[in-house]
Amino acid sequence: MNWNEKIQRKDVHVVVIGIGYVGLPLVVEFARAGFRVTGYDLDKRKVDKLAVGESYIEDISSESLRPHVAEGRLKATTNESVLATADAIIVCVPTPLNKTKEPDVSFIVSATEAIARHYKPGQCVVLESTTYPGTTRELVAPMLEKAGAKIGETLFLAFSPERVDPANKVYGTRNTPKVLGGATPNCLEVSVALYSKIIDKVVPVSSTDAAEMVKLLENTFRAVNIGLVNEVAIMCHKLGLDVWEIIDAAATKPFGFMKFTPGPGLGGHCIPIDPLYLSWKLRALKYTAEFIELADDINSAMPSYCVTRIADLLNDKGKAIKGSKVLIVGVAYKRDVSDMRESPAIDVVELLHKKGADISFVDPYVPVFEEGTMRLESLPIDTDASKFDIAVIVTDHTEFDYAKLVKTAPIIFDTRNATRVVGGSKDNVYLL
Ligand code: SAJ
Protein backbone atom coordinates (compact mmCIF):
# COMPACT_ATOMS: atom_id res chain seq x y z
CA MET A 1 0.00 0.00 0.00
CA ASN A 2 1.42 3.42 -0.88
CA TRP A 3 1.57 6.41 1.43
CA ASN A 4 -1.41 8.20 -0.08
CA GLU A 5 -3.62 5.16 0.43
CA LYS A 6 -2.32 4.73 3.99
CA ILE A 7 -3.07 8.37 4.75
CA GLN A 8 -6.52 8.27 3.14
CA ARG A 9 -7.34 5.14 5.13
CA LYS A 10 -5.84 6.75 8.28
CA ASP A 11 -3.77 3.58 8.45
CA VAL A 12 -0.77 5.49 9.79
CA HIS A 13 0.82 5.21 13.23
CA VAL A 14 2.40 8.54 14.07
CA VAL A 15 5.05 8.64 16.77
CA VAL A 16 5.97 12.09 18.09
CA ILE A 17 9.39 12.20 19.72
CA GLY A 18 9.32 14.95 22.37
CA ILE A 19 5.88 15.76 23.78
CA GLY A 20 6.56 19.26 25.06
CA TYR A 21 4.97 22.56 24.00
CA VAL A 22 5.61 21.66 20.30
CA GLY A 23 5.06 17.90 20.29
CA LEU A 24 1.89 17.72 22.38
CA PRO A 25 -0.19 19.97 20.09
CA LEU A 26 0.88 17.77 17.16
CA VAL A 27 -0.17 14.65 19.10
CA VAL A 28 -3.60 16.21 19.60
CA GLU A 29 -4.02 17.21 15.96
CA PHE A 30 -2.94 13.82 14.56
CA ALA A 31 -5.29 12.09 17.04
CA ARG A 32 -8.13 14.48 16.11
CA ALA A 33 -7.52 13.65 12.44
CA GLY A 34 -8.13 9.97 13.23
CA PHE A 35 -4.58 8.63 13.21
CA ARG A 36 -3.06 6.32 15.79
CA VAL A 37 -0.59 8.46 17.74
CA THR A 38 2.02 7.68 20.34
CA GLY A 39 3.90 10.34 22.26
CA TYR A 40 7.42 9.12 22.98
CA ASP A 41 9.50 11.00 25.57
CA LEU A 42 12.21 10.28 28.11
CA ASP A 43 10.31 12.35 30.67
CA LYS A 44 8.17 9.77 32.52
CA ARG A 45 6.13 12.52 34.15
CA LYS A 46 4.88 13.77 30.80
CA VAL A 47 4.35 10.22 29.49
CA ASP A 48 2.36 9.15 32.55
CA LYS A 49 0.13 12.22 32.30
CA LEU A 50 -0.44 11.86 28.55
CA ALA A 51 -1.15 8.14 28.93
CA VAL A 52 -4.18 8.98 31.07
CA GLY A 53 -5.22 11.97 28.98
CA GLU A 54 -3.99 14.63 31.40
CA SER A 55 -2.47 17.74 29.83
CA TYR A 56 0.59 19.48 31.29
CA ILE A 57 0.78 22.24 28.64
CA GLU A 58 -1.23 25.43 29.30
CA ASP A 59 -2.53 25.65 25.71
CA ILE A 60 -3.74 22.02 25.55
CA SER A 61 -6.83 20.91 27.51
CA SER A 62 -7.13 17.43 28.99
CA GLU A 63 -10.57 17.29 27.33
CA SER A 64 -8.82 17.40 23.95
CA LEU A 65 -6.76 14.34 24.91
CA ARG A 66 -9.14 12.11 26.87
CA PRO A 67 -11.50 10.87 24.10
CA HIS A 68 -8.57 9.68 21.97
CA VAL A 69 -6.91 8.00 24.93
CA ALA A 70 -10.20 6.34 25.85
CA GLU A 71 -10.57 5.12 22.27
CA GLY A 72 -7.08 3.59 22.48
CA ARG A 73 -5.74 5.57 19.51
CA LEU A 74 -3.63 7.91 21.62
CA LYS A 75 -0.86 6.42 23.74
CA ALA A 76 2.37 7.49 25.39
CA THR A 77 5.58 5.65 26.20
CA THR A 78 9.16 6.06 27.37
CA ASN A 79 10.13 2.96 25.40
CA GLU A 80 11.96 3.73 22.15
CA SER A 81 10.99 0.40 20.62
CA VAL A 82 7.69 2.07 19.74
CA LEU A 83 9.63 3.61 16.84
CA ALA A 84 9.73 0.19 15.14
CA THR A 85 5.94 0.36 14.90
CA ALA A 86 5.88 3.92 13.54
CA ASP A 87 4.87 4.79 10.00
CA ALA A 88 5.56 8.49 10.59
CA ILE A 89 7.99 9.95 13.15
CA ILE A 90 7.88 13.63 14.07
CA VAL A 91 10.91 14.93 15.99
CA CYS A 92 10.17 17.80 18.39
CA VAL A 93 13.18 17.82 20.71
CA PRO A 94 14.93 20.88 22.19
CA THR A 95 17.72 22.66 20.34
CA PRO A 96 19.32 24.88 22.98
CA LEU A 97 22.66 26.66 23.00
CA ASN A 98 25.58 25.33 25.01
CA LYS A 99 27.64 27.35 27.50
CA THR A 100 29.63 29.04 24.70
CA LYS A 101 26.40 30.07 22.91
CA GLU A 102 26.90 27.42 20.19
CA PRO A 103 24.18 25.09 18.88
CA ASP A 104 23.56 21.97 20.93
CA VAL A 105 22.02 19.45 18.51
CA SER A 106 22.64 16.52 20.83
CA PHE A 107 18.90 15.93 21.28
CA ILE A 108 18.43 15.70 17.51
CA VAL A 109 21.33 13.25 17.33
CA SER A 110 19.90 11.05 20.11
CA ALA A 111 16.46 11.05 18.52
CA THR A 112 17.93 10.17 15.11
CA GLU A 113 20.02 7.38 16.63
CA ALA A 114 16.87 5.93 18.17
CA ILE A 115 15.04 6.16 14.85
CA ALA A 116 17.99 4.47 13.11
CA ARG A 117 17.96 1.66 15.66
CA HIS A 118 14.35 0.89 14.83
CA TYR A 119 14.29 1.89 11.16
CA LYS A 120 11.88 0.05 8.92
CA PRO A 121 11.42 0.67 5.19
CA GLY A 122 8.61 3.01 4.24
CA GLN A 123 8.83 5.35 7.23
CA CYS A 124 8.37 9.11 6.99
CA VAL A 125 10.55 11.22 9.34
CA VAL A 126 9.92 14.94 9.86
CA LEU A 127 12.23 17.10 11.98
CA GLU A 128 10.49 20.13 13.58
CA SER A 129 13.16 21.31 16.00
CA THR A 130 14.56 24.71 15.06
CA THR A 131 18.10 24.27 13.79
CA TYR A 132 20.74 25.63 11.41
CA PRO A 133 20.34 25.17 7.63
CA GLY A 134 21.85 21.83 6.62
CA THR A 135 21.05 19.87 9.78
CA THR A 136 18.52 17.54 8.14
CA ARG A 137 20.66 17.00 5.04
CA GLU A 138 24.14 16.84 6.65
CA LEU A 139 23.42 15.31 10.04
CA VAL A 140 20.12 13.42 10.06
CA ALA A 141 20.04 11.91 6.55
CA PRO A 142 23.48 10.22 6.73
CA MET A 143 22.64 8.65 10.10
CA LEU A 144 19.47 7.14 8.63
CA GLU A 145 21.25 6.03 5.43
CA LYS A 146 23.80 4.23 7.63
CA ALA A 147 20.86 2.24 9.03
CA GLY A 148 20.00 1.15 5.50
CA ALA A 149 17.48 3.80 4.52
CA LYS A 150 17.41 5.10 0.97
CA ILE A 151 16.17 8.67 1.34
CA GLY A 152 13.24 9.28 -1.01
CA GLU A 153 12.78 5.57 -1.70
CA THR A 154 12.58 3.58 1.54
CA LEU A 155 12.49 6.55 3.91
CA PHE A 156 10.81 9.92 3.39
CA LEU A 157 12.64 12.74 5.20
CA ALA A 158 11.46 16.34 5.65
CA PHE A 159 11.91 19.44 7.80
CA SER A 160 9.01 21.55 9.03
CA PRO A 161 9.70 24.44 11.41
CA GLU A 162 7.48 24.61 14.48
CA ARG A 163 5.42 27.77 14.75
CA VAL A 164 3.87 27.27 18.17
CA ASP A 165 3.20 30.55 19.91
CA PRO A 166 2.58 29.89 23.61
CA ALA A 167 -0.60 31.48 24.99
CA ASN A 168 -1.69 32.67 21.51
CA LYS A 169 -5.48 32.41 21.58
CA VAL A 170 -5.91 33.09 17.83
CA TYR A 171 -3.30 30.92 16.14
CA GLY A 172 -3.00 27.25 17.05
CA THR A 173 -1.41 24.28 15.30
CA ARG A 174 -4.18 23.73 12.73
CA ASN A 175 -4.63 27.33 11.53
CA THR A 176 -0.97 28.40 11.45
CA PRO A 177 0.47 27.87 7.96
CA LYS A 178 3.19 25.20 8.07
CA VAL A 179 6.34 25.35 5.94
CA LEU A 180 7.64 21.98 4.73
CA GLY A 181 10.84 21.09 2.88
CA GLY A 182 11.59 17.56 1.63
CA ALA A 183 14.98 15.91 1.22
CA THR A 184 13.69 14.77 -2.20
CA PRO A 185 10.51 15.46 -4.21
CA ASN A 186 9.05 12.14 -3.00
CA CYS A 187 9.82 13.10 0.60
CA LEU A 188 8.03 16.40 0.11
CA GLU A 189 5.02 14.70 -1.46
CA VAL A 190 4.61 12.21 1.40
CA SER A 191 5.10 14.76 4.18
CA VAL A 192 2.77 17.31 2.54
CA ALA A 193 0.09 14.61 2.19
CA LEU A 194 0.46 13.72 5.86
CA TYR A 195 0.57 17.27 7.24
CA SER A 196 -2.32 18.37 5.05
CA LYS A 197 -4.52 16.15 7.22
CA ILE A 198 -3.81 18.27 10.31
CA ILE A 199 -2.84 21.72 9.01
CA ASP A 200 -5.15 23.99 7.02
CA LYS A 201 -2.33 25.48 4.91
CA VAL A 202 0.91 23.64 4.15
CA VAL A 203 3.62 25.73 2.44
CA PRO A 204 6.06 23.54 0.46
CA VAL A 205 9.56 24.92 -0.15
CA SER A 206 12.40 23.61 -2.31
CA SER A 207 14.51 21.80 0.29
CA THR A 208 15.01 20.96 3.96
CA ASP A 209 17.73 23.64 4.09
CA ALA A 210 15.23 26.22 2.82
CA ALA A 211 12.67 25.17 5.43
CA GLU A 212 15.30 25.39 8.18
CA MET A 213 16.28 28.85 6.97
CA VAL A 214 12.68 30.11 6.84
CA LYS A 215 12.29 29.59 10.57
CA LEU A 216 15.59 31.29 11.32
CA LEU A 217 14.60 34.30 9.22
CA GLU A 218 11.28 34.54 11.10
CA ASN A 219 12.92 34.70 14.49
CA THR A 220 16.00 36.63 13.44
CA PHE A 221 13.63 39.27 12.09
CA ARG A 222 12.16 39.58 15.58
CA ALA A 223 15.46 39.55 17.46
CA VAL A 224 17.01 42.21 15.20
CA ASN A 225 13.96 44.48 15.37
CA ILE A 226 13.74 44.10 19.13
CA GLY A 227 17.44 44.95 19.29
CA LEU A 228 16.73 48.03 17.18
CA VAL A 229 13.97 49.35 19.45
CA ASN A 230 16.08 48.58 22.51
CA GLU A 231 18.83 50.77 21.09
CA VAL A 232 16.25 53.41 20.19
CA ALA A 233 15.14 53.32 23.84
CA ILE A 234 18.70 54.00 24.98
CA MET A 235 19.04 56.82 22.44
CA CYS A 236 15.72 58.38 23.45
CA HIS A 237 16.72 58.37 27.11
CA LYS A 238 19.92 60.23 26.21
CA LEU A 239 17.88 62.66 24.12
CA GLY A 240 15.36 63.18 26.94
CA LEU A 241 12.59 61.68 24.79
CA ASP A 242 9.87 59.16 25.73
CA VAL A 243 10.60 56.15 23.49
CA TRP A 244 7.08 54.80 24.08
CA GLU A 245 5.53 57.98 22.68
CA ILE A 246 7.91 57.85 19.71
CA ILE A 247 7.10 54.22 18.89
CA ASP A 248 3.35 54.66 19.34
CA ALA A 249 3.43 57.64 16.99
CA ALA A 250 5.58 55.79 14.42
CA ALA A 251 3.15 52.87 14.61
CA THR A 252 0.38 55.10 13.26
CA LYS A 253 2.10 54.72 9.89
CA PRO A 254 -0.29 52.31 8.15
CA PHE A 255 2.39 50.83 5.88
CA GLY A 256 6.10 50.10 5.96
CA PHE A 257 6.38 49.95 9.73
CA MET A 258 5.94 47.12 12.25
CA LYS A 259 5.73 47.90 15.96
CA PHE A 260 8.17 46.34 18.37
CA THR A 261 8.63 47.53 21.95
CA PRO A 262 11.76 47.87 24.07
CA GLY A 263 12.18 45.81 27.20
CA PRO A 264 14.60 44.53 29.84
CA GLY A 265 16.10 42.01 27.39
CA LEU A 266 15.24 39.03 25.25
CA GLY A 267 13.72 35.95 26.87
CA GLY A 268 12.19 32.67 25.80
CA HIS A 269 13.52 29.55 24.17
CA CYS A 270 13.25 30.86 20.59
CA ILE A 271 14.14 34.46 19.92
CA PRO A 272 17.39 34.74 21.88
CA ILE A 273 18.57 31.37 20.56
CA ASP A 274 17.43 30.71 16.99
CA PRO A 275 19.38 33.57 15.35
CA LEU A 276 22.58 32.32 16.98
CA TYR A 277 22.11 28.98 15.21
CA LEU A 278 22.24 30.92 11.95
CA SER A 279 25.24 33.10 12.87
CA TRP A 280 27.11 30.00 14.07
CA LYS A 281 26.53 28.26 10.73
CA LEU A 282 27.73 31.32 8.80
CA ARG A 283 30.84 31.62 11.00
CA ALA A 284 31.72 28.10 9.89
CA LEU A 285 31.55 29.51 6.36
CA LYS A 286 33.84 32.38 7.35
CA TYR A 287 31.06 34.96 7.29
CA THR A 288 29.96 37.21 10.18
CA ALA A 289 26.21 37.72 10.47
CA GLU A 290 26.56 41.34 11.58
CA PHE A 291 22.90 42.13 12.36
CA ILE A 292 22.43 38.98 14.42
CA GLU A 293 25.57 39.53 16.46
CA LEU A 294 24.86 43.23 16.97
CA ALA A 295 21.26 42.57 18.03
CA ASP A 296 22.47 39.88 20.42
CA ASP A 297 24.99 42.32 21.94
CA ILE A 298 22.31 44.99 22.44
CA ASN A 299 19.60 42.62 23.70
CA SER A 300 22.02 40.85 26.05
CA ALA A 301 23.13 44.20 27.49
CA MET A 302 19.59 45.37 28.33
CA PRO A 303 19.48 43.82 31.82
CA SER A 304 22.67 45.65 32.73
CA TYR A 305 21.31 48.88 31.21
CA CYS A 306 18.20 48.48 33.37
CA VAL A 307 20.32 48.03 36.51
CA THR A 308 22.23 51.21 35.66
CA ARG A 309 18.93 53.07 35.36
CA ILE A 310 17.78 51.61 38.69
CA ALA A 311 21.05 52.73 40.32
CA ASP A 312 20.56 56.26 38.96
CA LEU A 313 16.97 56.42 40.25
CA LEU A 314 17.97 55.28 43.74
CA ASN A 315 20.96 57.62 43.67
CA ASP A 316 18.67 60.55 42.95
CA LYS A 317 16.96 59.70 46.24
CA GLY A 318 20.30 59.52 48.04
CA LYS A 319 20.22 55.74 48.12
CA ALA A 320 22.68 53.12 46.95
CA ILE A 321 21.59 49.83 45.41
CA LYS A 322 23.41 48.18 48.30
CA GLY A 323 20.88 47.67 51.04
CA SER A 324 17.94 49.06 49.07
CA LYS A 325 14.73 47.02 49.14
CA VAL A 326 13.87 46.22 45.54
CA LEU A 327 10.55 44.64 44.46
CA ILE A 328 10.78 42.92 41.07
CA VAL A 329 7.30 42.90 39.50
CA GLY A 330 7.09 39.94 37.11
CA VAL A 331 9.95 37.54 36.32
CA ALA A 332 8.61 35.27 33.50
CA TYR A 333 10.13 35.82 30.05
CA LYS A 334 7.03 37.54 28.71
CA ARG A 335 3.54 38.61 29.68
CA ASP A 336 1.06 36.04 30.96
CA VAL A 337 3.31 32.99 30.65
CA SER A 338 5.04 31.00 33.40
CA ASP A 339 8.16 30.15 31.38
CA MET A 340 11.43 31.41 32.85
CA ARG A 341 13.75 30.25 30.08
CA GLU A 342 16.30 32.96 29.22
CA SER A 343 14.10 35.45 31.08
CA PRO A 344 15.85 38.84 31.34
CA ALA A 345 14.63 38.97 34.94
CA ILE A 346 17.27 36.38 35.79
CA ASP A 347 20.08 38.74 34.76
CA VAL A 348 18.43 41.80 36.35
CA VAL A 349 18.03 39.99 39.67
CA GLU A 350 21.54 38.54 39.59
CA LEU A 351 23.11 41.91 38.85
CA LEU A 352 21.13 43.61 41.63
CA HIS A 353 21.99 40.77 44.00
CA LYS A 354 25.70 41.16 43.22
CA LYS A 355 25.40 44.86 44.10
CA GLY A 356 23.89 44.04 47.47
CA ALA A 357 20.25 44.88 46.88
CA ASP A 358 17.64 43.32 49.17
CA ILE A 359 15.47 41.68 46.51
CA SER A 360 11.89 40.40 46.60
CA PHE A 361 9.68 39.52 43.67
CA VAL A 362 6.04 39.00 42.83
CA ASP A 363 4.87 36.87 39.89
CA PRO A 364 1.56 34.97 39.95
CA TYR A 365 2.90 32.59 37.32
CA VAL A 366 6.25 31.85 38.97
CA PRO A 367 6.04 30.67 42.60
CA VAL A 368 9.79 30.23 43.07
CA PHE A 369 12.74 32.03 41.49
CA GLU A 370 15.88 29.90 41.63
CA GLU A 371 19.17 30.89 40.04
CA GLY A 372 22.65 29.93 41.20
CA THR A 373 22.75 30.32 44.99
CA MET A 374 19.57 32.43 44.98
CA ARG A 375 16.17 31.04 45.92
CA LEU A 376 13.29 33.48 46.31
CA GLU A 377 9.60 32.79 46.75
CA SER A 378 7.05 35.02 45.10
CA LEU A 379 5.28 37.45 47.41
CA PRO A 380 1.48 37.62 47.18
CA ILE A 381 0.18 39.58 44.19
CA ASP A 382 -1.31 42.22 46.56
CA THR A 383 2.03 42.90 48.25
CA ASP A 384 2.24 46.45 49.62
CA ALA A 385 4.89 48.14 47.48
CA SER A 386 5.23 51.07 49.89
CA LYS A 387 7.61 48.94 51.96
CA PHE A 388 10.19 48.97 49.16
CA ASP A 389 12.60 51.61 47.95
CA ILE A 390 11.81 50.86 44.29
CA ALA A 391 9.50 48.57 42.30
CA VAL A 392 10.86 47.36 38.95
CA ILE A 393 8.32 46.12 36.41
CA VAL A 394 10.20 43.49 34.41
CA THR A 395 7.24 41.44 33.12
CA ASP A 396 3.91 43.14 32.46
CA HIS A 397 1.48 40.41 33.44
CA THR A 398 -2.11 41.47 32.82
CA GLU A 399 -3.30 40.64 36.30
CA PHE A 400 -1.06 43.06 38.18
CA ASP A 401 -2.89 46.02 39.79
CA TYR A 402 -0.82 48.80 38.22
CA ALA A 403 -2.99 51.58 39.66
CA LYS A 404 -2.31 50.32 43.18
CA LEU A 405 1.37 49.97 42.39
CA VAL A 406 1.56 53.58 41.17
CA LYS A 407 -0.23 54.72 44.34
CA THR A 408 1.99 52.84 46.77
CA ALA A 409 5.52 52.38 45.37
CA PRO A 410 7.88 55.29 46.16
CA ILE A 411 9.59 54.81 42.78
CA ILE A 412 8.67 52.58 39.85
CA PHE A 413 11.09 51.70 37.06
CA ASP A 414 8.77 50.43 34.34
CA THR A 415 10.65 48.51 31.63
CA ARG A 416 7.44 47.62 29.75
CA ASN A 417 5.40 50.84 29.97
CA ALA A 418 2.83 48.70 31.78
CA THR A 419 1.73 51.72 33.84
CA ARG A 420 0.40 53.40 30.67
CA VAL A 421 -2.95 51.93 31.69
CA VAL A 422 -2.98 54.09 34.84
CA GLY A 423 -4.38 57.63 34.51
CA GLY A 424 -3.52 60.66 36.60
CA SER A 425 -0.16 61.80 37.93
CA LYS A 426 2.59 59.28 37.83
CA ASP A 427 5.56 61.36 38.88
CA ASN A 428 7.02 58.36 40.72
CA VAL A 429 7.08 56.33 37.50
CA TYR A 430 10.16 56.22 35.30
CA LEU A 431 10.06 54.42 31.94
CA LEU A 432 12.79 52.50 30.16
N1 SAJ B 1 10.01 41.18 23.24
C1 SAJ B 1 10.39 42.51 23.33
N2 SAJ B 1 9.84 43.39 22.45
C2 SAJ B 1 8.94 42.99 21.49
C3 SAJ B 1 8.58 41.64 21.42
C4 SAJ B 1 9.12 40.74 22.30
O1 SAJ B 1 11.18 42.89 24.17
O2 SAJ B 1 8.47 43.84 20.73
C5 SAJ B 1 10.62 40.21 24.15
C6 SAJ B 1 9.63 39.45 24.99
O3 SAJ B 1 9.37 40.13 26.20
C7 SAJ B 1 10.35 38.14 25.24
C8 SAJ B 1 11.16 37.94 23.97
O4 SAJ B 1 11.27 39.23 23.36
O5 SAJ B 1 11.21 38.24 26.35
C9 SAJ B 1 10.53 36.98 22.99
O6 SAJ B 1 9.20 37.39 22.86
P1 SAJ B 1 8.25 36.88 21.63
O7 SAJ B 1 7.03 37.72 21.64
O8 SAJ B 1 9.01 36.79 20.39
O9 SAJ B 1 7.75 35.48 22.15
P2 SAJ B 1 8.26 34.01 21.98
O10 SAJ B 1 9.65 33.81 22.49
O11 SAJ B 1 7.19 33.19 22.59
O12 SAJ B 1 8.32 33.81 20.41
C10 SAJ B 1 7.37 33.00 19.79
C11 SAJ B 1 8.02 32.63 18.50
N3 SAJ B 1 7.32 31.51 17.93
C12 SAJ B 1 8.05 30.53 17.34
O13 SAJ B 1 9.25 30.54 17.29
C13 SAJ B 1 7.27 29.43 16.76
C14 SAJ B 1 7.99 33.80 17.53
O14 SAJ B 1 8.33 33.34 16.21
C15 SAJ B 1 6.63 34.42 17.48
O15 SAJ B 1 6.64 35.49 16.56
C16 SAJ B 1 6.32 34.93 18.87
O16 SAJ B 1 6.18 33.74 19.69
C17 SAJ B 1 5.04 35.74 18.89
O17 SAJ B 1 4.75 36.40 17.88
O18 SAJ B 1 4.41 35.75 19.95
Side-chain angles (χ1 to χ4, degrees):
M1 186 186 341
N2 73 24
W3 258 98
N4 279 326
E5 284 168 27
K6 285 166 76 78
I7 290 170
Q8 293 322 326
R9 295 177 50 173
K10 302 284 170 55
D11 179 18
V12 174
H13 178 206
V14 180
V15 175
V16 177
I17 303 183
I19 48 177
Y21 81 94
V22 174
L24 189 62
L26 285 172
V27 165
V28 172
E29 292 304 332
F30 276 114
R32 260 198 202 125
F35 293 98
R36 280 180 299 122
V37 196
T38 304
Y40 162 54
D41 202 301
L42 301 178
D43 180 345
K44 195 169 177 320
R45 190 186 67 85
K46 288 192 176 81
V47 165
D48 290 348
K49 283 179 178 281
L50 178 54
V52 295
E54 208 183 301
S55 177
Y56 42 85
I57 299 278
E58 283 163 30
D59 296 345
I60 300 292
S61 70
S62 298
E63 290 64 44
S64 66
L65 296 169
R66 285 210 184 97
H68 309 301
V69 171
E71 224 183 291
R73 268 188 311 105
L74 169 46
K75 298 182 187 308
T77 182
T78 55
N79 185 336
E80 75 167 45
S81 61
V82 68
L83 295 169
T85 68
D87 298 302
I89 300 170
I90 320 288
V91 183
C92 306
V93 296
T95 44
L97 292 173
N98 63 23
K99 292 252 177 300
T100 52
K101 279 197 164 186
E102 295 189 315
D104 170 4
V105 291
S106 60
F107 296 98
I108 293 180
V109 171
S110 311
T112 307
E113 285 168 342
I115 296 168
R117 279 194 289 273
H118 302 279
Y119 157 70
K120 71 175 183 182
Q123 285 178 323
C124 172
V125 175
V126 184
L127 176 61
E128 291 224 356
S129 308
T130 305
T131 185
Y132 59 81
T135 306
T136 306
R137 174 174 49 82
E138 296 165 347
L139 181 67
V140 174
M143 290 173 70
L144 298 174
E145 284 167 335
K146 225 164 30 188
K150 290 192 178 14
I151 307 293
E153 292 169 40
T154 68
L155 186 137
F156 304 97
L157 180 62
F159 182 85
S160 180
E162 60 95 356
R163 279 182 168 172
V164 175
D165 179 22
N168 191 317
K169 300 287 177 250
V170 177
Y171 291 105
T173 304
R174 176 166 279 281
N175 68 347
T176 301
K178 200 93 170 50
V179 167
L180 247 172
T184 70
N186 281 357
C187 297
L188 181 63
E189 189 187 333
V190 170
S191 47
V192 165
L194 179 65
Y195 271 69
S196 300
K197 292 296 177 194
I198 65 162
I199 308 278
D200 294 343
K201 183 172 179 2
V202 174
V203 182
V205 292
S206 59
S207 67
T208 55
D209 291 49
E212 288 157 343
M213 185 65 184
V214 166
K215 171 63 184 275
L216 295 179
L217 171 59
E218 289 167 14
N219 284 358
T220 299
F221 167 76
R222 284 185 77 73
V224 168
N225 279 285
I226 293 165
L228 171 65
V229 286
N230 279 333
E231 185 168 48
V232 168
I234 295 169
M235 292 192 265
C236 282
H237 183 62
K238 288 182 182 302
L239 293 167
L241 292 172
D242 173 349
V243 67
W244 304 93
E245 175 200 12
I246 305 300
I247 291 172
D248 282 347
T252 59
K253 183 178 178 191
F255 48 83
F257 184 80
M258 184 171 177
K259 180 176 180 178
F260 287 87
T261 51
L266 213 47
H269 43 276
C270 305
I271 309 305
I273 290 168
D274 299 350
L276 299 184
Y277 266 68
L278 182 55
S279 58
W280 172 84
K281 177 69 179 181
L282 272 299
R283 265 204 304 280
L285 300 174
K286 309 263 183 289
Y287 180 81
T288 304
E290 308 281 0
F291 280 103
I292 292 174
E293 310 220 349
L294 175 61
D296 184 49
D297 290 347
I298 293 171
N299 291 325
S300 305
M302 288 312 285
S304 157
Y305 172 74
C306 288
V307 170
T308 304
R309 292 287 306 278
I310 292 163
D312 292 347
L313 289 167
L314 287 169
N315 186 58
D316 292 347
K317 304 282 179 193
K319 295 178 186 215
I321 285 187
K322 191 175 174 68
S324 285
K325 289 173 67 63
V326 180
L327 177 65
I328 303 291
V329 179
V331 292
Y333 87 83
K334 76 173 185 179
R335 178 187 316 136
D336 300 347
V337 300
S338 58
D339 199 337
M340 280 293 290
R341 282 176 289 185
E342 307 289 325
S343 173
I346 296 170
D347 295 331
V348 170
V349 168
E350 279 192 333
L351 287 165
L352 288 169
H353 178 64
K354 276 196 193 115
K355 290 178 183 297
D358 174 4
I359 305 168
S360 305
F361 86 96
V362 55
D363 190 317
Y365 293 85
V366 182
V368 177
F369 175 99
E370 271 180 309
E371 196 60 35
T373 56
M374 297 184 70
R375 185 180 191 285
L376 300 169
E377 292 188 8
S378 173
L379 296 179
I381 192 162
D382 59 357
T383 291
D384 176 4
S386 66
K387 297 192 195 116
F388 296 88
D389 297 303
I390 186 169
V392 182
I393 300 173
V394 177
T395 310
D396 49 339
H397 291 314
T398 310
E399 65 186 282
F400 284 133
D401 181 346
Y402 293 108
K404 184 175 170 222
L405 195 62
V406 168
K407 269 208 197 80
T408 51
I411 318 173
I412 296 176
F413 181 50
D414 183 357
T415 73
R416 301 286 192 171
N417 194 19
T419 51
R420 66 186 175 285
V421 298
V422 180
S425 96
K426 292 180 279 186
D427 50 13
N428 59 330
V429 177
Y430 299 85
L431 300 179
L432 183 68

